[in-house]
Amino acid sequence: MLRTLLAACFAVAGLVALVGFCTGRFRWMAAGSYLSLFILLFVWWSMIEPSNDRVWQAEVAMLPYATFDGNLITVHNIRNFDYRTETDFTPAYYDQTYDLTKLDSVDLVAAYWMGPMIAHIFLTFGFGDDHLAISIEARKEATEGYSSIKGFFKQYELIYIVGDERDLIRVRTNYRKDPPEDVYLYSVTGSPENLKRIFLGYMKTINELRERPKFYNTLTANCTNVIWMHTRLNPGHVPFSWKILLSGYTPAYLHEQGKLGAGPSFEALQARAHINERAWQADQAPDFSSRIRAHLLSP
């Protein structure tokens, strides 16, 4: 309520300044007053700091972190909720140790709910039969909903949700109904060294956010361009494109750049990559990850 009132007052002040500027007598007074108000607003804006100390929604209440012992990386607070519906669930977390020398795959997940232009993009890292999904999202307080407009104005903190695929993928394929989501899973090509650099970059940032929170931003720090910034660690990374800003086109762009392998057209690849039906059939099965990847094994 206070934010709305202040925004309304600033809008009124801008209108008054515009009227004053259009009159010769008060032009410079109006310009000076509005500039002073703008400077005060900018100073106040710059003093707003992100925080990890808020009353969070249950889905983002627990921050993950990683500890290191050579090539062994223990990831703490891996989310694995037991869902009955999208909003009715039992929170659960676990810790697991991963051997960096066994990291052999990275898959890209694209979830669509509002047409072809916008998708939520996240990566899942494969260590043999084990897969660890990491979704970069806006961390919302208990009373907040998500708004792309609010995401420009320091309304949400940034969070890397580290989760079991039976959580981060299955909640989207099996439980989200309003609106439903179409989920696609693509295998990303890359050398073992490149995959390791990206994974270690994720782990470093996850630990940094636990100590020094940052704001989410709809344009500059969202799910897709933050992934792209992680890939800049690697030689030969894809150049930035408007297809990263319009995240729904990111899989097609990666296919154009040869990062989703050669072979079929993107349309054929996309049709095979749609995993909703396989996820429905797998549901809570222990081999959920292998069953949703049946298309990656077929010729």
Side-chain angles (χ1 to χ4, degrees):
M1 181 65 180
L2 178 59
R3 290 175 180 174
T4 303
L5 179 61
L6 291 174
C9 290
F10 185 74
V12 171
L15 182 60
V16 171
L18 180 62
V19 172
F21 191 77
C22 292
T23 64
R25 184 177 179 182
F26 298 104
R27 175 171 298 173
W28 299 114
M29 182 183 298
S33 299
Y34 188 75
L35 180 60
S36 298
L37 181 61
F38 181 82
I39 292 173
L40 286 173
L41 181 64
F42 178 79
V43 171
W44 168 77
W45 173 262
S46 65
M47 293 174 64
I48 299 175
E49 296 289 341
S51 173
N52 284 330
D53 186 18
R54 306 189 195 279
V55 180
W56 304 106
Q57 293 185 8
E59 297 93 327
V60 294
M62 190 78 74
L63 285 175
Y65 65 99
T67 53
F68 300 84
D69 181 12
N71 283 318
L72 299 180
I73 302 174
T74 301
V75 184
H76 304 265
N77 299 333
I78 300 170
R79 202 180 80 182
N80 190 28
F81 285 12
D82 180 17
Y83 292 93
R84 291 170 289 277
T85 68
E86 180 186 357
T87 57
D88 180 19
F89 48 77
T90 301
Y93 297 87
Y94 64 88
D95 302 343
Q96 185 162 333
T97 300
Y98 299 90
D99 186 342
L100 193 60
T101 64
K102 295 182 179 179
L103 176 60
D104 57 9
S105 67
V106 172
D107 298 325
L108 181 143
V109 179
Y112 295 80
W113 69 97
M114 57 180 298
M117 292 192 298
I118 301 298
H120 178 62
I121 306 292
F122 62 94
L123 299 182
T124 180
F125 296 86
F127 299 81
D129 293 331
D130 289 329
H131 296 270
L132 184 68
I134 306 179
S135 176
I136 301 169
E137 301 185 18
R139 194 180 190 194
K140 301 185 291 293
E141 296 180 53
T143 58
E144 287 182 320
Y146 178 74
S147 163
S148 297
I149 300 300
K150 289 183 178 180
F152 286 101
F153 300 108
K154 295 186 177 182
Q155 294 297 296
Y156 311 112
E157 275 74 12
L158 185 68
I159 185 171
Y160 286 47
I161 301 175
V162 180
D164 194 293
E165 289 190 334
R166 284 169 295 186
D167 181 328
L168 286 183
I169 292 179
R170 190 164 62 100
V171 69
R172 292 173 164 85
T173 55
N174 294 25
Y175 293 100
R176 290 195 175 162
K177 308 295 184 183
D178 187 23
E181 296 189 14
D182 285 305
V183 181
Y184 300 81
L185 186 143
Y186 304 92
S187 178
V188 180
T189 61
S191 68
E193 292 75 19
N194 285 356
L195 303 186
K196 290 175 185 177
R197 274 191 287 267
I198 294 175
F199 183 75
L200 288 173
Y202 267 56
M203 295 298 106
K204 177 183 177 182
T205 301
I206 284 169
N207 284 349
E208 289 175 349
L209 288 176
R210 190 166 179 254
E211 300 299 326
R212 296 181 299 278
K214 296 180 179 179
F215 281 116
Y216 172 93
N217 185 280
T218 301
L219 182 63
T220 62
N222 60 42
C223 67
T224 311
N225 62 20
V226 173
I227 294 175
W228 177 80
M229 286 189 280
H230 279 291
T231 67
R232 292 191 303 167
L233 296 169
N234 292 329
H237 67 79
V238 300
F240 195 75
S241 166
W242 63 269
K243 292 181 180 180
I244 293 174
L245 289 177
L246 291 180
S247 53
Y249 298 120
T250 298
Y253 176 58
L254 293 179
H255 185 262
E256 292 170 8
Q257 297 292 317
K259 298 301 183 181
L260 300 185
S265 66
F266 178 71
E267 290 72 20
L269 180 65
Q270 185 181 45
R272 291 172 55 184
H274 190 241
I275 63 170
N276 285 63
E277 183 63 31
R278 289 190 291 274
W280 266 104
Q281 293 175 358
D283 197 33
Q284 299 187 49
D287 61 344
F288 177 88
S289 291
S290 62
R291 291 174 65 172
I292 64 173
R293 286 173 169 78
H295 65 293
L296 301 179
L297 302 176
S298 59

